[in-house]
Amino acid sequence: MTAREAGPGDALRLAFGTLSVLPVRFPHVDRQVAGRAMAAAPLVGAVLAGLAAGVQALALWAGTGALLAAVLALGSLALLTRGLHLDGLADVADGLGSGKPAPDALRIMKASDIGPFGVLALVFTLLVQAAALTRAAGHGQAEAAAALAIAVVTGRAAIGIGCLRAVPSARPDGLGAMVAGTLPPAAAAGTAVLLTGAAAGLGAATDLGALRAALAVAVGLLAATALLRHTVRRFGGITGDVLGALAETAAAAALVVLSTG
């Protein structure tokens, strides 16, 4: 950590360095910078979605078929994030599925192995995402790219919901402790409004439709909020794993909405 005053660049570098595999250095880290980094998570999502959409488009161009193209796109996202959010989803599923008190559930989540609930959560979520993305690709390549972008950015916006000031940390250390309670409600609300408007624009420019695209954002964020409330009741707050689970849940819910019609 340096003595200089933190700037916007520190938060952006921390966001990319934490939420992606991109080799970004972030010398200045404190709670303020970490909170701003989580607020910038949708920007990271937009970049990653662009890269994954490129993989999907290349696969479709090569004639792999919509299903394999969707799987390759989702696989590239997992690689680009080091599987961070998927790992969080699996750990949270194991913690919740254990039915144990918060301290024991948190110990289960911190273990390096993965249990049956985690496996089921991963398989179900990835199957839902792949099937929904395949359905979107059936409308055309532009629709597939738009659906992927909306879902991925919605997932990263859900991370900010987990960092609202009213949300405590479940542990005294770790990523959750660093970012819990750092974002004001106005920041999350502003992100949701901007994202909904951008999604509606993408939907209007494609066959997804503006209303369906906007609804996908709303449903994704609502699903993440419901999961957040449940995990806070069960664990006493958030952890880094919870943030990853919020991202994957929101993305899957958004893709389900986008696959309709």
Side-chain angles (χ1 to χ4, degrees):
M1 183 183 293
T2 65
R4 67 177 176 80
E5 184 179 354
D10 290 293
L12 197 57
R13 284 191 290 271
L14 180 59
F16 277 96
T18 303
L19 302 175
S20 78
V21 296
L22 300 179
V24 180
R25 297 182 62 187
F26 38 93
H28 189 107
V29 179
D30 56 29
R31 274 180 55 80
Q32 183 181 42
V33 172
R36 290 174 178 171
M38 295 303 101
L43 295 178
V44 180
V47 172
L48 299 183
L51 295 173
V55 171
Q56 186 179 27
L58 183 60
L60 289 171
W61 174 81
T64 61
L67 176 58
L68 182 53
V71 171
L72 291 173
L74 294 173
S76 68
L77 278 174
L79 290 175
L80 288 167
T81 60
R82 306 184 192 91
L84 184 68
H85 307 313
L86 291 171
D87 178 67
L89 175 67
D91 287 342
V92 168
D94 280 333
L96 292 174
S98 71
K100 295 183 179 297
D104 294 329
L106 289 171
R107 279 195 292 272
I108 290 172
M109 290 165 60
K110 201 168 185 179
S112 59
D113 58 343
I114 180 173
F117 290 104
V119 172
L120 287 172
L122 286 178
V123 171
F124 177 76
T125 302
L126 288 172
L127 281 176
V128 167
Q129 291 180 354
L133 192 54
T134 299
R135 169 80 173 180
H139 294 288
Q141 188 170 311
E143 285 72 18
L148 189 60
I150 292 169
V152 172
V153 177
T154 299
R156 274 56 184 182
I159 292 175
I161 295 176
C163 302
L164 289 173
R165 284 180 178 165
V167 181
S169 173
R171 294 193 182 104
D173 54 6
L175 178 61
M178 179 66 77
V179 301
T182 55
L183 291 184
T191 298
V193 170
L194 288 174
L195 176 54
T196 301
L202 274 176
T206 63
D207 286 342
L208 294 177
L211 180 59
R212 183 181 295 117
L215 183 61
V217 174
V219 171
L221 295 182
L222 284 173
T225 301
L227 177 61
L228 174 65
R229 290 172 63 87
H230 184 53
T231 53
V232 169
R233 283 197 303 267
R234 283 284 284 106
F235 306 143
I238 65 161
T239 66
D241 286 332
V242 170
L243 297 180
L246 297 181
E248 292 297 337
T249 299
L255 278 172
V256 168
V257 174
L258 292 168
S259 70
T260 61

